[in-house]
Coordinates of all heavy atoms in Angstrom, one line a residue:
M1 N 0.9 -1.3 0.0 CA 0.0 0.0 0.0 C 0.9 1.2 0.0 O 1.8 1.4 0.8 CB -0.9 -0.1 1.2 CG -1.8 1.2 1.4 SD -2.8 1.3 2.8 CE -4.2 0.2 2.3
S2 N 0.6 2.2 -0.9 CA 1.5 3.4 -0.9 C 1.1 4.3 0.3 O 0.1 4.2 0.8 CB 1.1 4.1 -2.3 OG -0.1 4.7 -2.1
M3 N 2.0 5.1 0.5 CA 1.9 6.0 1.7 C 0.8 7.0 1.5 O 0.1 7.4 2.6 CB 3.2 6.7 2.1 CG 4.3 5.8 2.7 SD 3.8 5.1 4.3 CE 3.6 6.4 5.4
L4 N 0.4 7.3 0.4 CA -0.8 8.2 0.1 C -2.0 7.6 0.6 O -3.0 8.3 1.0 CB -0.8 8.5 -1.3 CG 0.4 9.4 -2.0 CD1 0.3 9.5 -3.4 CD2 0.4 10.7 -1.2
R5 N -2.2 6.2 0.5 CA -3.4 5.6 0.9 C -3.3 5.1 2.2 O -4.3 4.5 2.8 CB -3.7 4.5 -0.1 CG -3.9 5.1 -1.5 CD -4.3 4.1 -2.5 NE -5.7 3.9 -2.5 CZ -6.4 2.9 -2.8 NH1 -5.7 1.9 -3.4 NH2 -7.6 2.8 -2.7
A6 N -2.2 5.1 3.0 CA -2.1 4.5 4.3 C -2.6 5.6 5.3 O -2.6 6.7 5.0 CB -0.6 4.2 4.5
T7 N -3.0 5.0 6.5 CA -3.3 5.9 7.6 C -2.1 6.3 8.4 O -1.0 5.8 8.2 CB -4.2 5.2 8.5 OG1 -3.6 4.1 9.2 CG2 -5.5 4.6 7.7
H8 N -2.3 7.2 9.3 CA -1.3 7.5 10.2 C -0.7 6.5 11.1 O 0.5 6.6 11.6 CB -1.7 8.8 11.1 CG -2.7 8.4 12.1 ND1 -4.1 8.1 11.7 CD2 -2.7 8.1 13.4 CE1 -4.8 7.8 12.7 NE2 -3.9 7.7 13.8
L9 N -1.6 5.4 11.2 CA -1.0 4.3 12.1 C -0.1 3.4 11.4 O 0.6 2.6 12.0 CB -2.3 3.5 12.5 CG -3.4 4.2 13.3 CD1 -4.6 3.3 13.6 CD2 -2.8 4.6 14.7
A10 N 0.1 3.6 10.1 CA 1.1 2.7 9.3 C 2.5 3.0 9.8 O 3.4 2.2 9.5 CB 0.9 2.9 7.9
T11 N 2.7 4.1 10.2 CA 4.1 4.6 10.6 C 4.4 4.6 12.1 O 5.5 4.7 12.6 CB 4.3 6.0 10.2 OG1 3.5 7.0 10.8 CG2 4.4 6.1 8.6
V12 N 3.4 4.0 12.9 CA 3.6 4.0 14.4 C 4.2 2.7 14.7 O 3.8 1.5 14.3 CB 2.2 4.0 15.1 CG1 2.5 3.9 16.5 CG2 1.5 5.3 14.8
K13 N 5.4 2.8 15.5 CA 6.1 1.5 15.9 C 5.4 1.1 17.2 O 5.0 1.8 18.1 CB 7.6 1.9 16.2 CG 8.3 2.5 15.1 CD 8.7 1.5 14.2 CE 9.6 2.0 13.0 NZ 9.5 1.1 11.8
S14 N 5.4 -0.2 17.5 CA 4.8 -0.8 18.7 C 6.0 -1.8 19.3 O 6.5 -2.6 18.6 CB 3.6 -1.6 18.2 OG 3.2 -2.4 19.4
A15 N 6.1 -1.7 20.6 CA 7.0 -2.4 21.2 C 6.5 -4.0 21.3 O 7.4 -4.8 21.4 CB 7.2 -2.0 22.7
V16 N 5.4 -4.2 21.1 CA 4.8 -5.6 21.1 C 5.4 -6.3 19.9 O 5.8 -7.5 20.1 CB 3.2 -5.6 20.9 CG1 2.7 -7.0 20.7 CG2 2.6 -5.0 22.2
Y17 N 5.6 -5.7 18.8 CA 6.2 -6.4 17.6 C 7.7 -6.3 17.6 O 8.3 -7.1 16.9 CB 5.6 -5.8 16.4 CG 4.1 -5.9 16.2 CD1 3.2 -5.0 16.6 CD2 3.6 -7.2 15.9 CE1 1.9 -5.1 16.5 CE2 2.3 -7.4 15.9 CZ 1.4 -6.4 16.3 OH 0.1 -6.5 16.1
E18 N 8.3 -5.5 18.4 CA 9.9 -5.3 18.3 C 10.6 -5.9 19.5 O 11.8 -6.2 19.4 CB 10.2 -3.9 18.1 CG 9.5 -3.3 16.8 CD 9.8 -1.8 16.7 OE1 10.6 -1.2 17.5 OE2 9.2 -1.2 15.7
T19 N 9.9 -6.2 20.5 CA 10.4 -6.7 21.7 C 10.5 -8.2 21.7 O 9.6 -8.8 21.3 CB 9.7 -6.3 23.1 OG1 9.7 -4.9 23.0 CG2 10.4 -6.7 24.3
R20 N 11.6 -8.8 22.2 CA 11.6 -10.1 22.3 C 11.4 -10.6 23.7 O 11.9 -10.1 24.8 CB 13.0 -10.7 22.0 CG 13.4 -10.8 20.7 CD 12.8 -11.9 20.0 NE 13.4 -12.4 18.9 CZ 12.9 -13.0 17.9 NH1 11.6 -13.4 18.1 NH2 13.5 -13.5 17.0
W21 N 10.3 -11.3 23.9 CA 9.8 -11.7 25.3 C 10.3 -13.0 25.7 O 10.6 -13.8 24.9 CB 8.3 -11.8 25.2 CG 7.6 -10.5 24.8 CD1 7.1 -10.3 23.6 CD2 7.4 -9.4 25.5 NE1 6.6 -9.0 23.4 CE2 6.8 -8.3 24.7 CE3 7.6 -8.9 26.9 CZ2 6.3 -7.1 25.0 CZ3 7.2 -7.6 27.2 CH2 6.5 -6.7 26.3
E22 N 10.4 -13.3 27.0 CA 10.9 -14.6 27.5 C 9.7 -15.5 27.2 O 8.6 -15.3 27.6 CB 11.1 -14.4 29.0 CG 11.6 -15.7 29.6 CD 12.0 -15.6 31.1 OE1 11.7 -14.5 31.8 OE2 12.5 -16.6 31.6
K23 N 10.1 -16.7 26.7 CA 9.1 -17.8 26.4 C 9.1 -18.8 27.5 O 10.1 -19.1 28.1 CB 9.4 -18.4 25.2 CG 9.0 -17.6 23.8 CD 9.3 -18.4 22.6 CE 8.9 -17.5 21.4 NZ 9.0 -18.2 20.1
F24 N 7.9 -19.4 27.8 CA 7.6 -20.3 28.8 C 7.0 -21.5 28.2 O 6.0 -21.4 27.5 CB 6.9 -19.9 30.1 CG 7.4 -18.7 30.7 CD1 7.1 -17.5 30.4 CD2 8.4 -18.9 31.7 CE1 7.6 -16.3 31.0 CE2 8.9 -17.8 32.4 CZ 8.5 -16.5 32.0
N25 N 7.7 -22.7 28.1 CA 7.1 -23.9 27.7 C 6.1 -24.4 28.5 O 6.4 -24.7 29.7 CB 8.2 -25.0 27.4 CG 9.1 -24.6 26.3 OD1 8.7 -24.0 25.4 ND2 10.4 -25.0 26.6
V26 N 4.8 -24.6 28.0 CA 3.8 -24.9 28.9 C 3.1 -26.3 28.7 O 2.6 -27.0 29.5 CB 2.7 -23.8 29.0 CG1 3.2 -22.6 29.8 CG2 2.1 -23.5 27.7
R27 N 2.8 -26.5 27.3 CA 2.3 -27.9 26.9 C 1.1 -28.2 27.6 O 0.9 -29.2 28.4 CB 3.2 -29.0 27.2 CG 4.5 -29.0 26.2 CD 4.0 -29.5 24.9 NE 5.1 -29.5 23.9 CZ 5.0 -29.6 22.6 NH1 3.7 -29.9 22.2 NH2 6.0 -29.6 21.8
R28 N 0.1 -27.2 27.5 CA -1.2 -27.3 28.1 C -2.2 -27.4 27.1 O -2.3 -26.7 26.1 CB -1.5 -26.2 29.1 CG -0.5 -26.1 30.1 CD -0.9 -25.5 31.4 NE -2.2 -25.8 31.7 CZ -2.8 -25.6 33.0 NH1 -2.0 -25.1 33.9 NH2 -4.1 -25.7 33.2
P29 N -3.4 -28.1 27.4 CA -4.6 -28.2 26.5 C -5.3 -26.8 26.5 O -5.2 -26.1 27.5 CB -5.5 -29.2 27.0 CG -5.1 -29.4 28.4 CD -3.6 -29.0 28.5
A30 N -5.8 -26.4 25.3 CA -6.4 -25.2 25.2 C -7.7 -25.4 24.2 O -7.9 -26.4 23.5 CB -5.4 -24.1 24.7
R31 N -8.5 -24.3 24.1 CA -9.5 -24.3 23.1 C -9.4 -23.0 22.4 O -9.0 -21.9 23.0 CB -11.0 -24.2 23.9 CG -11.4 -25.6 24.2 CD -12.7 -25.6 24.8 NE -12.4 -25.4 26.4 CZ -13.3 -25.1 27.2 NH1 -14.5 -25.2 26.9 NH2 -13.0 -24.9 28.4
I32 N -9.8 -23.0 21.2 CA -9.8 -21.8 20.3 C -11.2 -21.5 20.0 O -12.1 -22.4 19.6 CB -9.2 -22.0 18.9 CG1 -7.6 -22.3 19.2 CG2 -9.2 -20.8 18.0 CD1 -6.9 -22.6 18.0
V33 N -11.7 -20.2 20.4 CA -13.0 -19.8 20.3 C -13.0 -18.8 19.2 O -12.5 -17.7 19.3 CB -13.6 -19.3 21.6 CG1 -15.1 -18.8 21.5 CG2 -13.5 -20.4 22.8
A34 N -13.8 -18.9 18.0 CA -13.8 -18.0 17.0 C -15.2 -17.7 16.8 O -16.3 -18.4 16.9 CB -13.3 -18.7 15.7
V35 N -15.5 -16.4 16.3 CA -16.9 -15.9 16.0 C -17.1 -16.3 14.5 O -16.3 -15.9 13.7 CB -17.1 -14.4 16.4 CG1 -18.4 -13.9 15.8 CG2 -16.8 -14.1 17.7
R36 N -18.3 -16.9 14.3 CA -18.5 -17.2 12.9 C -19.0 -16.0 12.2 O -19.3 -14.9 12.7 CB -19.8 -18.2 12.9 CG -19.3 -19.6 13.3 CD -20.4 -20.5 13.1 NE -20.1 -21.8 13.6 CZ -20.9 -22.6 14.3 NH1 -22.2 -22.3 14.5 NH2 -20.5 -23.8 14.7
P37 N -18.9 -16.1 10.8 CA -19.1 -14.9 9.9 C -20.6 -14.4 10.2 O -21.5 -15.2 10.5 CB -19.0 -15.4 8.5 CG -18.0 -16.6 8.6 CD -18.3 -17.2 10.0
C38 N -20.8 -13.1 10.1 CA -22.1 -12.5 10.3 C -22.5 -12.6 11.7 O -23.7 -12.6 12.0 CB -23.0 -13.0 9.3 SG -22.6 -12.6 7.5
L39 N -21.6 -13.0 12.6 CA -22.0 -13.1 14.0 C -23.1 -14.2 14.2 O -23.9 -13.9 15.1 CB -22.5 -11.7 14.7 CG -21.4 -10.6 14.6 CD1 -22.0 -9.3 15.0 CD2 -20.2 -10.9 15.3
T40 N -23.1 -15.2 13.5 CA -24.1 -16.2 13.6 C -23.9 -17.3 14.7 O -24.7 -18.1 14.8 CB -24.3 -17.0 12.2 OG1 -22.9 -17.5 11.9 CG2 -24.7 -16.1 11.1
G41 N -22.7 -17.1 15.3 CA -22.5 -18.1 16.4 C -21.1 -18.2 16.7 O -20.3 -17.3 16.2
I42 N -20.5 -19.2 17.4 CA -19.1 -19.3 17.7 C -18.7 -20.8 17.2 O -19.7 -21.6 17.3 CB -18.8 -19.0 19.2 CG1 -19.5 -20.0 20.1 CG2 -19.0 -17.6 19.5 CD1 -19.1 -19.9 21.5
S43 N -17.5 -20.9 17.1 CA -17.0 -22.3 16.8 C -15.9 -22.5 17.7 O -15.1 -21.6 18.0 CB -16.5 -22.4 15.3 OG -15.4 -21.6 15.1
V44 N -15.7 -23.7 18.2 CA -14.8 -24.0 19.3 C -14.0 -25.2 18.7 O -14.5 -26.2 18.2 CB -15.4 -24.4 20.6 CG1 -14.4 -24.8 21.7 CG2 -16.3 -23.3 21.1
R45 N -12.5 -25.1 18.9 CA -11.8 -26.4 18.5 C -10.7 -26.6 19.5 O -10.3 -25.6 20.2 CB -11.2 -26.3 17.0 CG -10.4 -25.1 16.8 CD -9.7 -25.2 15.5 NE -10.6 -24.7 14.5 CZ -10.6 -24.9 13.2 NH1 -9.6 -25.6 12.7 NH2 -11.6 -24.6 12.3
S46 N -10.2 -27.7 19.6 CA -9.2 -28.1 20.6 C -7.8 -27.7 20.0 O -7.5 -27.7 18.9 CB -9.2 -29.6 20.9 OG -10.4 -29.9 21.6
A47 N -7.0 -27.4 21.0 CA -5.5 -27.1 20.6 C -4.7 -27.5 21.7 O -5.1 -27.7 22.9 CB -5.3 -25.6 20.4
E48 N -3.3 -27.5 21.6 CA -2.3 -27.6 22.6 C -1.4 -26.5 22.7 O -0.8 -26.1 21.7 CB -1.6 -28.9 22.5 CG -0.6 -29.1 23.6 CD 0.3 -30.4 23.5 OE1 0.4 -30.9 22.3 OE2 0.8 -30.8 24.4
T49 N -1.4 -25.8 23.7 CA -0.4 -24.6 23.8 C 1.1 -25.2 24.0 O 1.4 -25.9 24.8 CB -0.8 -23.7 25.0 OG1 -2.1 -23.4 25.0 CG2 0.0 -22.5 25.1
V50 N 1.9 -24.7 23.1 CA 3.3 -25.1 23.1 C 4.2 -24.2 24.1 O 4.8 -24.7 25.1 CB 3.9 -25.2 21.8 CG1 5.4 -25.5 21.8 CG2 3.1 -26.0 20.8
D51 N 4.0 -23.0 23.8 CA 4.7 -22.0 24.7 C 4.0 -20.7 24.7 O 3.1 -20.4 23.8 CB 6.2 -21.7 24.2 CG 6.3 -21.2 22.8 OD1 5.6 -20.2 22.5 OD2 7.1 -21.8 22.0
I52 N 4.3 -19.9 25.7 CA 3.5 -18.6 25.9 C 4.5 -17.5 26.4 O 5.4 -17.8 27.1 CB 2.2 -18.8 26.8 CG1 1.3 -17.5 26.7 CG2 2.8 -19.1 28.1 CD1 0.0 -17.8 27.2
S53 N 4.2 -16.3 26.1 CA 5.1 -15.2 26.6 C 4.1 -14.0 26.7 O 3.0 -14.0 26.4 CB 6.2 -14.8 25.6 OG 5.7 -14.3 24.5
Q54 N 4.7 -12.8 27.3 CA 3.8 -11.6 27.4 C 3.4 -11.1 26.0 O 2.4 -10.5 25.9 CB 4.7 -10.5 28.0 CG 4.6 -10.6 29.6 CD 5.4 -9.4 30.1 OE1 6.5 -9.2 29.8 NE2 4.7 -8.8 30.9
G55 N 4.2 -11.4 24.9 CA 3.9 -11.0 23.7 C 3.2 -11.8 22.6 O 2.8 -11.4 21.6
G56 N 3.0 -13.1 23.0 CA 2.4 -14.0 22.2 C 2.4 -15.5 22.6 O 2.6 -15.8 23.7
A57 N 2.0 -16.4 21.8 CA 1.9 -17.7 22.1 C 2.1 -18.6 20.8 O 1.9 -18.1 19.7 CB 0.7 -18.0 22.8
T58 N 2.4 -19.9 21.0 CA 2.5 -20.8 19.9 C 1.7 -22.0 20.4 O 1.7 -22.5 21.5 CB 4.0 -21.3 19.7 OG1 4.7 -20.2 19.4 CG2 3.9 -22.2 18.5
F59 N 0.9 -22.4 19.4 CA 0.1 -23.6 19.8 C -0.2 -24.5 18.5 O 0.1 -24.1 17.4 CB -1.3 -23.3 20.4 CG -2.1 -22.5 19.7 CD1 -3.0 -22.8 18.8 CD2 -2.1 -20.9 19.9 CE1 -3.8 -21.9 18.0 CE2 -2.8 -20.1 19.1 CZ -3.7 -20.6 18.2
V60 N -0.6 -25.8 18.8 CA -0.8 -26.8 17.8 C -2.3 -27.1 17.6 O -2.9 -27.4 18.7 CB 0.0 -27.9 18.0 CG1 -0.2 -29.1 17.0 CG2 1.5 -27.6 18.1
V61 N -2.8 -27.3 16.5 CA -4.3 -27.7 16.3 C -4.2 -28.8 15.3 O -3.3 -29.1 14.6 CB -5.1 -26.6 15.7 CG1 -5.2 -25.4 16.5 CG2 -4.6 -26.0 14.4
S62 N -5.3 -29.6 15.4 CA -5.3 -30.7 14.4 C -5.6 -30.3 13.0 O -5.0 -31.0 12.1 CB -6.5 -31.7 14.8 OG -7.7 -31.1 14.9
S63 N -6.3 -29.2 12.7 CA -6.5 -28.8 11.3 C -6.6 -27.3 11.4 O -7.4 -26.7 12.3 CB -7.7 -29.4 10.7 OG -8.0 -28.9 9.5
T64 N -6.1 -26.6 10.4 CA -6.3 -25.1 10.4 C -7.4 -24.8 9.4 O -7.6 -23.6 9.1 CB -5.0 -24.5 9.9 OG1 -4.6 -24.8 8.6 CG2 -3.9 -24.6 11.0
A65 N -8.1 -25.7 8.7 CA -9.1 -25.5 7.8 C -10.3 -24.6 8.4 O -10.8 -25.1 9.5 CB -9.6 -26.7 7.2
G66 N -10.6 -23.6 7.8 CA -11.8 -22.8 8.2 C -11.5 -21.9 9.5 O -12.3 -21.3 10.0
L67 N -10.2 -21.8 10.0 CA -9.9 -21.1 11.1 C -9.6 -19.7 10.8 O -8.8 -19.4 9.8 CB -8.7 -21.7 11.8 CG -8.2 -21.1 13.1 CD1 -9.2 -21.3 14.2 CD2 -6.9 -21.6 13.6
P68 N -10.3 -18.7 11.3 CA -10.0 -17.3 10.9 C -8.7 -16.8 11.4 O -7.9 -17.5 12.2 CB -11.2 -16.5 11.5 CG -11.6 -17.4 12.7 CD -11.3 -18.8 12.3
K69 N -8.3 -15.5 11.1 CA -7.0 -14.9 11.5 C -7.1 -14.3 13.0 O -6.2 -14.0 13.6 CB -6.6 -13.9 10.6 CG -6.4 -14.4 9.2 CD -5.2 -15.2 9.1 CE -4.9 -15.6 7.6 NZ -3.8 -16.6 7.6
H70 N -8.4 -14.1 13.5 CA -8.5 -13.5 14.8 C -9.5 -14.3 15.5 O -10.6 -14.8 15.0 CB -9.0 -12.0 14.7 CG -8.2 -11.1 14.0 ND1 -8.1 -10.9 12.7 CD2 -7.1 -10.4 14.5 CE1 -7.2 -10.0 12.3 NE2 -6.5 -9.7 13.5
Y71 N -9.2 -14.6 16.9 CA -10.0 -15.5 17.8 C -9.5 -15.4 19.1 O -8.5 -14.6 19.4 CB -9.9 -17.0 17.2 CG -8.6 -17.4 16.9 CD1 -7.5 -17.7 17.7 CD2 -8.2 -17.4 15.5 CE1 -6.4 -18.1 17.3 CE2 -6.9 -17.8 15.0 CZ -5.9 -18.2 16.0 OH -4.6 -18.5 15.5
Y72 N -10.2 -16.2 20.0 CA -9.8 -16.2 21.4 C -9.1 -17.5 21.9 O -9.6 -18.6 21.2 CB -11.0 -16.0 22.4 CG -11.7 -14.6 22.2 CD1 -12.8 -14.5 21.4 CD2 -11.2 -13.6 22.9 CE1 -13.4 -13.2 21.2 CE2 -11.8 -12.3 22.7 CZ -12.9 -12.2 22.0 OH -13.4 -11.0 21.7
L73 N -8.1 -17.4 22.7 CA -7.4 -18.7 23.1 C -7.9 -18.9 24.6 O -7.6 -17.9 25.4 CB -5.9 -18.5 22.9 CG -5.0 -19.7 23.5 CD1 -5.3 -21.0 22.7 CD2 -3.6 -19.3 23.4
N74 N -8.3 -19.9 24.9 CA -8.8 -20.3 26.3 C -7.9 -21.5 26.7 O -8.2 -22.5 26.3 CB -10.2 -20.5 26.3 CG -10.7 -20.9 27.7 OD1 -9.9 -20.7 28.7 ND2 -12.0 -21.2 27.8
I75 N -6.9 -21.1 27.5 CA -6.0 -22.2 28.2 C -6.8 -22.8 29.2 O -7.2 -22.2 30.2 CB -4.7 -21.7 28.5 CG1 -4.0 -21.0 27.4 CG2 -3.7 -22.7 29.1 CD1 -2.7 -20.2 27.7
L76 N -7.0 -24.1 29.2 CA -7.8 -24.8 30.1 C -7.2 -24.7 31.5 O -5.9 -24.8 31.7 CB -7.9 -26.3 29.9 CG -8.7 -26.5 28.6 CD1 -8.8 -28.1 28.2 CD2 -10.0 -26.0 28.5
G77 N -7.9 -24.4 32.5 CA -7.4 -24.1 33.9 C -7.3 -22.8 34.2 O -7.2 -22.3 35.4
L78 N -7.3 -21.9 33.2 CA -7.3 -20.4 33.4 C -8.7 -19.8 33.1 O -9.4 -20.3 32.3 CB -6.2 -19.8 32.6 CG -4.8 -20.2 32.7 CD1 -4.0 -19.4 31.8 CD2 -4.4 -20.0 34.2
A79 N -9.0 -18.8 33.9 CA -10.3 -18.1 33.8 C -10.4 -17.1 32.7 O -11.4 -16.4 32.5 CB -10.7 -17.6 35.1
Y80 N -9.3 -17.0 31.9 CA -9.2 -16.0 30.9 C -9.3 -16.4 29.5 O -8.9 -17.4 29.2 CB -7.8 -15.0 31.0 CG -7.7 -14.6 32.4 CD1 -6.8 -15.1 33.3 CD2 -8.5 -13.5 32.8 CE1 -6.6 -14.7 34.5 CE2 -8.3 -12.9 34.2 CZ -7.3 -13.6 34.9 OH -7.1 -13.0 36.3
R81 N -10.0 -15.5 28.6 CA -9.8 -15.8 27.2 C -8.9 -14.7 26.7 O -9.0 -13.5 26.9 CB -11.1 -15.6 26.5 CG -12.0 -16.8 26.6 CD -13.3 -16.6 25.9 NE -14.1 -15.6 26.5 CZ -15.3 -15.2 26.2 NH1 -15.8 -15.7 25.1 NH2 -15.9 -14.4 26.9
I82 N -7.9 -15.2 25.9 CA -6.9 -14.2 25.4 C -7.2 -14.0 23.9 O -7.3 -14.8 23.0 CB -5.5 -14.8 25.5 CG1 -5.2 -15.2 26.9 CG2 -4.5 -13.9 25.0 CD1 -4.1 -16.1 27.1
G83 N -7.4 -12.6 23.6 CA -7.6 -12.3 22.2 C -6.4 -12.4 21.4 O -5.3 -12.0 21.8
C84 N -6.5 -13.1 20.2 CA -5.3 -13.3 19.4 C -5.4 -12.9 17.9 O -6.5 -12.9 17.4 CB -4.9 -14.9 19.4 SG -4.8 -15.7 20.9
A85 N -4.2 -12.4 17.5 CA -4.2 -12.1 16.0 C -3.0 -13.1 15.5 O -1.8 -13.0 16.0 CB -3.9 -10.7 15.8
E86 N -3.2 -13.8 14.4 CA -2.1 -14.7 13.9 C -0.9 -13.9 13.4 O -1.2 -13.0 12.7 CB -2.6 -15.6 12.8 CG -3.4 -16.8 13.3 CD -3.8 -17.8 12.3 OE1 -3.2 -17.7 11.0 OE2 -4.6 -18.6 12.6
T87 N 0.2 -14.5 13.7 CA 1.4 -13.9 13.0 C 1.9 -14.9 12.0 O 2.7 -14.5 11.0 CB 2.5 -13.6 14.0 OG1 2.7 -14.7 14.8 CG2 2.2 -12.4 14.9
Y88 N 1.8 -16.2 12.2 CA 2.2 -17.2 11.2 C 1.4 -18.5 11.4 O 0.8 -18.8 12.4 CB 3.6 -17.5 11.3 CG 4.1 -18.2 12.5 CD1 4.1 -19.6 12.5 CD2 4.6 -17.6 13.6 CE1 4.5 -20.3 13.5 CE2 5.0 -18.2 14.7 CZ 4.9 -19.7 14.7 OH 5.3 -20.4 15.8
R89 N 1.3 -19.3 10.3 CA 0.8 -20.7 10.3 C 1.8 -21.5 9.6 O 2.3 -21.1 8.5 CB -0.5 -20.8 9.5 CG -1.7 -20.3 10.3 CD -3.0 -20.7 9.4 NE -4.1 -20.0 10.1 CZ -5.4 -20.2 9.7 NH1 -5.6 -21.0 8.7 NH2 -6.3 -19.4 10.3
N90 N 2.2 -22.5 10.2 CA 3.2 -23.5 9.7 C 2.6 -24.9 9.8 O 2.7 -25.4 10.9 CB 4.5 -23.3 10.3 CG 5.6 -24.2 9.6 OD1 5.3 -24.9 8.7 ND2 6.8 -24.2 10.2
N91 N 1.8 -25.4 8.9 CA 1.1 -26.6 8.9 C 0.1 -26.5 10.1 O -0.8 -25.7 10.0 CB 2.0 -27.8 9.1 CG 2.9 -28.1 7.9 OD1 2.5 -27.7 6.7 ND2 4.1 -28.4 8.1
E92 N 0.3 -27.3 11.2 CA -0.7 -27.3 12.3 C -0.2 -26.4 13.3 O -0.9 -26.2 14.4 CB -1.1 -28.6 12.8 CG -2.0 -29.4 11.9 CD -1.3 -30.0 10.7 OE1 -0.1 -30.5 10.8 OE2 -1.9 -30.1 9.5
R93 N 0.8 -25.8 13.3 CA 1.5 -25.0 14.3 C 1.2 -23.4 14.0 O 1.4 -23.1 12.9 CB 3.0 -25.2 14.3 CG 3.7 -24.5 15.5 CD 5.2 -24.9 15.3 NE 5.9 -24.4 16.6 CZ 6.3 -25.0 17.6 NH1 6.0 -26.2 17.6 NH2 6.9 -24.4 18.7
I94 N 0.8 -22.8 14.9 CA 0.3 -21.3 14.8 C 0.8 -20.5 15.8 O 1.0 -20.9 17.0 CB -1.4 -21.3 14.9 CG1 -1.9 -22.2 13.8 CG2 -1.8 -19.9 14.8 CD1 -3.5 -22.3 14.0
G95 N 1.3 -19.3 15.4 CA 1.9 -18.3 16.2 C 1.0 -17.1 16.2 O 0.5 -16.7 15.3
V96 N 0.7 -16.6 17.5 CA -0.2 -15.5 17.6 C 0.4 -14.4 18.5 O 1.5 -14.6 19.3 CB -1.5 -15.9 18.3 CG1 -2.3 -16.9 17.4 CG2 -1.3 -16.5 19.7
R97 N -0.1 -13.2 18.4 CA 0.2 -12.1 19.2 C -1.0 -11.6 19.9 O -2.1 -11.8 19.5 CB 0.9 -10.8 18.5 CG 2.1 -11.3 17.8 CD 3.1 -10.3 18.1 NE 4.3 -10.7 17.5 CZ 5.6 -10.6 17.9 NH1 5.7 -10.1 19.1 NH2 6.6 -11.1 17.4

């Protein structure tokens, strides 16, 4: 996208994307909760969290077919849902911020 059509946010630097965070290997079961198109409901699928840090997480799913780019990660045993945006997909391995 050319700078003429970009917003002012295109030039803003964020520490989230530039900082290297300490990773913790957790190997815990998790659920991915995604909102279906047109807000018609939610879809839930199982995952396994490989590692997690302040700036992101890596997890493995059985299939990435139909999985959107933005969803919630719910690590079993924790009361929180973490909003995620994908940074990469490598077969069944997914990295999020």
